[in-house]
């Protein structure tokens, strides 16, 4: 199957007629091709977006909202097909795609369909001066959305929905590793009546197609989610053009467990926060710190629970852990297990590839738990982004806080305790964008999302996304 670019409302092959192979990670085989787009394709997309902008930015909020709602409805109607397509493209369990990824993609559109009707410019009366100051928020123009492979449609729509709701026209590039659901979304937006040129989807490699988007002078803002190294590169390219940037990058999140927590809930949630989506979520709690008093018990119980997880064909409902996204990524994750062995880490569970019956060439890895002696080891300092977690004990609150913050990333943290004072202290002092207390991965779509330190800059979600995607002007 050949995926096409979607430019100016039409499905088009890449100008240079070059193609990239698309793999099904569950079986390790090519099942399609995607455009290897060049600058010329991006140029065509920008022309279409520029042409569509005057009309789209003047389209009433009611109409924009209707179209976004319709897109949400169509995603829901096609839930099963989209979930199966996502699972095949990415290797994630179809159950996860059905319960989380695809419903969230629909919610992203529905949320911004509503939010845009409640979003407003502001006016401030200068009392006594006989003047009113208007703070006008206007769409930027053509914006770029670049998304990763871990939550393909979920993160693609997380960027596109607010961008078009805010009145912009979009050049979007999904990850070349997982292009399928973005391709399917194009048809959906067409059926929902989104005018041609408002959303243009250009497929291809990061270093060529993505680079062309970031370099294009007429693309005034970039919303990017991906690796920290790529984010730093994008910032360097975009800075001389003074583009607006929102960068949601990597994480190496602490999961801090105190003896006074609700143990059973903590254990069950920690299995999820460690291995959901094969550990390929920037919010996974990959560094587990456990209060010494319960360390040995936790170790035993955690290993037991994790050993019960079923690694297997992602299309089987009973599968807990599917395939990693690509061969390259599997090798990268596996290399960290080798590093652990050299660094003196002790593998408590897992560490090996798995040959799943009937899919022996798929990219499967056992969920892996490694006990480390120091937070300074590479395993605790670098983002592995796979089904690998480390554990180590701590004695005091001060030590736990120090360990949690002693890393270059600052995306999220999870805290397990029933002590209110400790909760308040940690929530204030953790250097992260989101702290979960006695829960994980729960977030109201109205809240601003993003990280500190090398986890990125800017906030997306709720009105923050709309603020980022509009320009401000004051007139008096
Ligand atoms: O991501 P990239 P990769 C982390 C994770 C992973 C590592 C590398 O640790 O192992 O990053 O993954 C596009 N200009 N995360 O290499 O390269 C690319 O095509 C413009 C964390 O797959 O950052 C894709 O669409 N675009 C993360 C997107 O950027 C470029 C999710 C992300 O790819 C580009 C994914 C360029 N020069 C990986 N180079 C998270 N925070 O959730 C690449 N791209």
């Amino acid at each position: 199957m050949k995926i096409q670019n979607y430019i100016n409302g039409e499905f088009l092959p890449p100008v240079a007629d070059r193609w990239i192979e698309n793999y099904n990670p569950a079986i390790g085989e090519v099942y399609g091709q995607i455009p290897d787009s060049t600058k010329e394709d991006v140029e065509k997309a920008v022309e279409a977006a520029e042409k569509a902008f005057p009309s789209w930015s003047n389209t009433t909020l009611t109409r924009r909202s209707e179209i976004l709602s319709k897109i949400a409805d169509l995603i829901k109607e096609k839930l099963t097909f989209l979930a199966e397509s996502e699972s095949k493209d990415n290797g994630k369990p179809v159950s996860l795609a059905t319960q989380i990824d695809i419903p969230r993609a629909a919610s992203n559109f529905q949320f911004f369909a509503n939010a845009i009707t409640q979003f407003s410019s502001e006016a401030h009366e200068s009392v006594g001066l006989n003047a009113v100051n208007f703070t006008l928020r206007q769409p930027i123009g053509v914006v770029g959305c670049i998304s990763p492979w871990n939550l393909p449609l979920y993160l693609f729509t997380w960027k596109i929905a607010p961008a078009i709701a805010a009145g912009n026209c979009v050049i979007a590039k999904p990850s070349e590793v997982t292009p399928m659901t973005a391709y399917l979304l194009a048809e959906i937006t067409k059926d929902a009546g989104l005018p041609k040129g408002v959303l243009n989807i250009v497929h291809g490699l990061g270093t060529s197609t993505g680079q062309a988007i970031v370099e294009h002078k007429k693309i005034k803002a970039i919303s990017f989610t991906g690796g920290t190294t790529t984010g730093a590169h994008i910032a360097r390219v975009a800075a001389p053009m003074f583009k607006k940037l929102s960068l949601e990058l990597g994480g190496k999140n602490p999961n801090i467990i105190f003896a006074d927590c609700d143990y059973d809930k903590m254990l069950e949630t920690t299995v999820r926060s460690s291995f959901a989506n094969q550990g390929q979520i920037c919010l996974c709690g990959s560094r587990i710190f456990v209060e010494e008093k319960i360390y040995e018990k936790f170790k035993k119980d955690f290993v037991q629970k994790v050993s019960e997880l079923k690694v297997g064909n992602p299309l089987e409902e009973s599968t807990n852990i599917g395939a990693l996204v690509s061969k390259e990524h599997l090798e990268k994750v596996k290399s960290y297990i080798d590093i652990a062995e050299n660094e003196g880490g002790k593998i408590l569970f897992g560490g090996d590839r798995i040959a799943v019956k009937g899919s022996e060439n798929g990219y499967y890895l056992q969920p892996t738990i490694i006990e480390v002696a120091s937070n300074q080891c590479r395993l605790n300092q670098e983002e592995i982004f796979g089904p690998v977690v480390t554990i180590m004990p701590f004695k005091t609150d001060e030590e736990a806080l120090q360990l949690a913050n002693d890393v270059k990333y600052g995306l999220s943290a999870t805290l397990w305790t029933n002590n209110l004072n400790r909760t308040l202290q940690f929530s204030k002092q953790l250097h992260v964008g989101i702290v979960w207390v006695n829960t994980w991965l729960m977030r109201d779509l109205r809240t601003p999302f993003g990280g500190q330190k090398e986890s990125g800059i800017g906030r997306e979600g709720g009105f923050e996304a709309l603020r980022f995607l509009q320009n401000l002007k004051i007139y008096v």
Side-chain angles (χ1 to χ4, degrees):
M1 142 135 215
K2 263 191 175 173
I3 281 175
Q4 309 281 323
N5 286 333
Y6 181 65
I7 298 174
N8 204 27
E10 285 181 82
F11 289 96
L12 299 173
V15 173
D17 197 27
R18 285 206 317 253
W19 301 84
I20 307 165
E21 290 178 330
N22 190 21
Y23 280 80
N24 173 348
I27 53 172
E29 283 174 18
V30 173
Y31 82 106
Q33 289 182 307
I34 77 161
D36 181 5
S37 304
T38 55
K39 273 187 180 158
E40 285 70 34
D41 299 289
V42 172
E43 188 57 47
K44 276 173 97 168
V46 173
E47 276 168 26
E50 276 207 300
K51 225 166 115 197
F53 181 66
S55 164
W56 181 244
S57 55
N58 269 310
T59 299
T60 63
L61 299 183
T62 312
R63 181 70 192 131
R64 278 189 225 161
S65 177
E66 277 169 7
I67 295 173
L68 265 77
S69 290
K70 181 78 186 155
I71 297 173
D73 290 345
L74 292 178
I75 293 175
K76 280 186 250 168
E77 262 175 38
K78 297 188 176 188
L79 173 77
T80 306
F81 176 59
L82 288 168
E84 282 168 8
S85 306
E86 196 75 296
S87 170
K88 187 172 176 185
D89 214 26
N90 171 280
K92 70 175 66 209
V94 72
S95 54
L96 189 73
T98 307
Q99 283 157 32
I100 308 276
D101 293 70
I102 309 303
R104 174 56 84 91
S107 306
N108 286 338
F109 278 102
Q110 192 57 61
F111 177 84
F112 284 105
N114 297 334
I116 196 62
T117 65
Q118 304 301 315
F119 190 59
S120 56
S121 296
E122 294 121 44
H124 300 91
E125 184 192 2
S126 298
V127 179
L129 297 176
N130 197 26
V132 178
N133 296 241
F134 292 96
T135 303
L136 193 62
R137 295 178 190 274
Q138 295 176 302
I140 296 172
V142 183
V143 304
C145 299
I146 301 176
S147 58
W149 45 257
N150 57 332
L151 304 166
L153 193 64
Y154 177 131
L155 289 174
F156 195 63
T157 54
W158 164 248
K159 297 178 179 304
I160 288 169
I164 60 179
N168 300 291
C169 292
V170 174
I171 313 298
K173 192 194 92 60
S175 168
E176 60 273 32
V177 189
T178 53
M180 184 52 85
T181 46
Y183 172 62
L184 299 172
L185 180 72
E187 191 73 50
I188 288 175
T189 61
K190 199 172 183 170
D191 292 347
L194 188 70
K196 64 180 185 180
V198 175
L199 172 64
N200 303 279
I201 303 175
V202 188
H203 294 272
L205 301 173
T207 45
S208 50
T209 319
Q211 182 80 15
I213 292 174
V214 180
E215 280 176 355
H216 203 295
K217 286 202 167 54
K218 290 183 176 163
I219 300 179
K220 301 291 184 199
I222 303 282
S223 165
F224 170 81
T225 300
T228 291
T229 313
T230 314
H233 171 78
I234 289 176
R236 274 194 298 276
V237 176
M241 290 175 272
F242 304 104
K243 288 187 191 216
K244 279 183 106 174
L245 282 185
S246 170
L247 304 173
E248 205 273 277
L249 310 175
K252 190 73 193 177
N253 312 304
N255 179 3
I256 311 154
I257 300 168
F258 281 93
D260 70 349
C261 71
D262 178 344
Y263 188 84
D264 293 341
K265 185 177 175 207
M266 174 279 296
L267 190 62
E268 195 186 307
T269 311
T270 294
V271 173
R272 260 194 331 117
S273 67
S274 302
F275 299 115
N277 205 38
Q278 297 70 249
Q280 301 167 145
I281 305 180
C282 54
L283 300 164
C284 279
S286 51
R287 292 184 298 144
I288 304 176
F289 300 114
V290 187
E291 191 173 359
E292 204 177 35
K293 278 186 237 170
I294 56 164
Y295 185 68
E296 289 306 322
K297 174 175 167 51
F298 172 80
K299 225 161 86 169
K300 195 168 121 276
D301 295 344
F302 187 49
V303 167
Q304 175 59 38
K305 280 261 177 217
V306 172
S307 70
E308 291 163 12
L309 294 174
K310 184 187 158 203
V311 182
N313 184 338
L315 292 175
E316 281 171 20
E317 282 293 329
S318 57
T319 290
N320 302 113
I321 299 188
L324 269 68
V325 76
S326 68
K327 187 157 180 281
E328 294 70 28
H329 192 58
L330 172 70
E331 278 161 10
K332 174 191 153 183
V333 175
K334 189 79 179 63
S335 76
Y336 276 97
I337 296 169
D338 302 337
I339 290 170
E341 284 170 340
N342 295 333
E343 279 186 332
K346 190 172 157 203
I347 298 180
L348 301 178
F349 186 81
D352 293 318
R353 281 190 71 165
I354 291 190
V356 168
K357 209 161 175 267
S359 313
E360 283 76 8
N361 293 326
Y363 314 135
Y364 300 94
L365 187 67
Q366 284 179 301
T368 302
I369 308 168
I370 303 174
E371 184 174 46
V372 292
S374 154
N375 186 48
Q376 285 312 313
C377 63
R378 282 185 64 191
L379 252 72
N380 266 36
Q381 293 295 319
E382 297 175 20
E383 188 182 40
I384 301 173
F385 216 62
V388 179
V389 290
T390 65
I391 69 170
M392 65 180 280
F394 68 84
K395 283 201 181 77
T396 63
D397 286 33
E398 292 70 29
E399 189 189 356
L401 193 61
Q402 191 273 334
L403 289 167
N405 282 335
D406 190 11
V407 71
K408 68 178 182 178
Y409 296 103
L411 194 54
S412 69
T414 308
L415 183 65
W416 290 96
T417 180
N418 280 317
N419 179 324
L420 182 61
N421 284 335
R422 177 183 285 146
T423 300
L424 296 174
Q425 284 310 316
F426 271 70
S427 301
K428 258 196 291 193
Q429 293 178 49
L430 284 163
H431 303 154
V432 295
I434 182 164
V435 180
W436 277 297
V437 183
N438 300 331
T439 185
W440 180 69
L441 211 63
M442 194 186 270
R443 197 181 70 80
D444 190 304
L445 282 177
R446 289 169 298 184
T447 56
F449 177 81
Q452 300 191 11
K453 302 198 277 187
E454 293 192 24
S455 291
I457 50 165
R459 292 290 181 273
E460 292 185 24
F463 284 171
E464 288 305 320
L466 297 175
R467 289 192 187 106
F468 168 69
L469 289 155
Q470 293 201 328
N471 278 330
L472 270 182
K473 186 192 292 172
I474 294 167
Y475 65 96
V476 185

